[in-house]
Amino acid sequence: MSIFVFVLSNILKGIYFPSFLSALLFTIALSFLNAIIKPILILLSLPITLLSLGLFIFIINTGMVYLASYLVGNITIQNFFAGFIFSALISAFYMVLEWTLNSK
């Protein structure tokens, strides 16, 4: 996952990781936030999520990416759109990876 995040940051404009170590730390922080904080946010934002037919989950994912980049420190996300696309691609990669590993 860290390799994908690092390569993706080199492809996308608006996302900058200075080294692979920062991508590794980002991935660890994002995994921790997705395991602990994200379920609480999903539960608290359930009415908004239902009204938006689930699209508010993308905003929560983008917030998790911003929070993980803040915790790691030296990661640059230039604007919300870049963070949104980055989080959507990470989510899509994770879904494909999970589907591939669980398909046995």
Side-chain angles (χ1 to χ4, degrees):
M1 186 72 148
S2 298
I3 295 169
F4 177 75
V5 167
F6 189 66
V7 169
L8 191 60
S9 71
N10 289 325
I11 295 171
L12 289 177
K13 298 200 185 299
I15 307 292
Y16 175 71
F17 286 86
S19 67
F20 180 72
L21 179 63
S22 62
L24 181 65
L25 292 174
F26 172 82
T27 306
I28 292 169
L30 186 62
S31 299
F32 177 76
L33 290 171
N34 282 340
I36 304 298
I37 304 296
K38 187 176 177 182
I40 296 169
L41 288 177
I42 289 174
L43 185 64
L44 290 175
S45 67
L46 192 59
I48 298 170
T49 304
L50 290 174
L51 287 174
S52 69
L53 302 175
L55 294 176
F56 193 71
I57 298 294
F58 288 114
I59 304 301
I60 293 173
N61 286 342
T62 306
M64 294 293 104
V65 165
Y66 270 100
L67 188 56
S69 69
Y70 175 76
L71 291 174
V72 172
N74 56 356
I75 298 167
T76 303
I77 301 175
Q78 288 185 352
N79 55 29
F80 180 79
F81 184 70
F84 182 80
I85 296 297
F86 186 63
S87 69
L89 291 174
I90 289 173
S91 298
F93 178 76
Y94 183 74
M95 284 188 336
V96 168
L97 185 66
E98 187 176 303
W99 177 73
T100 318
L101 294 175
N102 291 333
S103 65
K104 292 183 178 183

